[in-house]
Amino acid sequence: MKKIRFDDCICQGNIPEHKEIRSTLLSLIAETRSPSWVMNSPYYTDSISKLDFDDSEDFNRPWVKKFVEVWEPPLKEMMMSMGYTGMQLFKCWFQQYKQQDTHGWHIHGSHFTGVYYLEFPSKSAKTEVVSPYSGKVKKVGVKEGDFIIFPAHWIHRAPPNTSERKTIISWNFDAIQDSIDITQIKGGKPYILF
């Protein structure tokens, strides 16, 4: 087998209204029916204190409506910088991690997945992503208010949380390309982390 190196990236942006929306989103999430998730097997370990993945296809949840208002503009700019003309959202959910909670190595469906760091204390465990080319694990350097997107088939995890509570919002989506405009691609802003 031969691997041919081809550029790809994890894209990073932020939500400018993060400070204004943070407490509202956390309050709405606190009111959400959401079980914990624990799974232990020889290959996979999960321990997530609170999540609403079972409702991830319901975009009428109050916290989702509020989130989409501030998330859509920076995500649209990011997608356009890569030459895409739109996106189709399939799932959106939150996960809260208490100390030592973890989400084992996994992949997602759809073209892309995203993570918004809604509540991310300074000592929080950073998302780790495996490079499909080298097989090396990379920690993604983010701070609270940032979000990242990357190809959904890339193996990634949330290692055991080393801080107080951490809250992320995640989503799965497909890119849409209605027309090809190479000037749109060349004129995009770089959001490449590696």
Side-chain angles (χ1 to χ4, degrees):
M1 179 193 70
K2 177 181 176 182
K3 286 187 179 180
I4 299 170
R5 185 173 196 105
F6 193 82
D7 287 340
D8 209 334
C9 61
I10 293 176
C11 296
Q12 180 181 13
N14 64 50
I15 295 182
E17 300 88 351
H18 171 73
K19 289 181 181 176
E20 293 81 22
I21 197 82
R22 182 184 187 272
S23 60
T24 302
L25 284 173
L26 287 170
S27 293
L28 291 169
I29 284 171
E31 297 168 7
T32 302
R33 177 193 67 81
S34 47
S36 61
W37 171 261
V38 176
M39 180 180 196
N40 288 305
S41 77
Y43 307 103
Y44 192 80
T45 301
D46 272 351
S47 175
I48 303 168
S49 291
K50 191 173 179 182
L51 75 161
D52 68 345
F53 184 78
D54 289 345
D55 297 323
S56 62
E57 295 176 7
D58 175 5
F59 304 120
N60 290 314
R61 288 168 290 159
W63 76 261
V64 175
K65 287 180 173 182
K66 200 72 175 162
F67 173 61
V68 169
E69 289 174 16
V70 295
W71 158 80
E72 192 173 23
L75 181 62
K76 181 179 178 181
E77 179 184 342
M78 183 180 287
M79 295 303 290
M80 289 182 69
S81 79
M82 293 187 288
Y84 300 111
T85 56
M87 58 155 265
Q88 182 175 0
L89 183 64
F90 290 103
K91 296 182 181 217
C92 186
W93 68 98
F94 74 83
Q95 294 180 187
Q96 285 189 324
Y97 298 86
K98 291 184 180 173
Q99 203 164 40
Q100 295 307 308
D101 281 356
T102 187
H103 192 176
W105 294 109
H106 64 284
I107 61 173
H108 291 228
S110 303
H111 296 157
F112 289 95
T113 193
V115 181
Y116 169 50
Y117 299 88
L118 173 60
E119 189 175 37
F120 198 70
S122 63
K123 293 184 181 181
S124 294
K126 295 179 179 177
T127 302
E128 295 179 347
V129 181
V130 177
S131 165
Y133 180 76
S134 68
K136 293 181 180 175
V137 175
K138 298 179 182 278
K139 289 184 181 185
V140 183
V142 295
K143 63 184 182 314
E144 187 174 289
D146 286 350
F147 70 92
I148 58 173
I149 64 168
F150 54 92
H153 67 274
W154 285 12
I155 300 168
H156 60 285
R157 75 172 183 159
N161 188 34
T162 53
S163 71
E164 53 200 80
R165 189 178 70 184
K166 169 176 96 170
T167 304
I168 60 103
I169 293 173
S170 196
W171 62 94
N172 294 342
F173 66 101
D174 280 355
I176 297 170
Q177 177 53 50
D178 294 330
S179 63
I180 297 174
D181 180 356
I182 195 69
T183 59
Q184 183 181 35
I185 296 170
K186 289 181 178 179
K189 297 178 182 177
Y191 289 91
I192 298 170
L193 291 180
F194 65 85

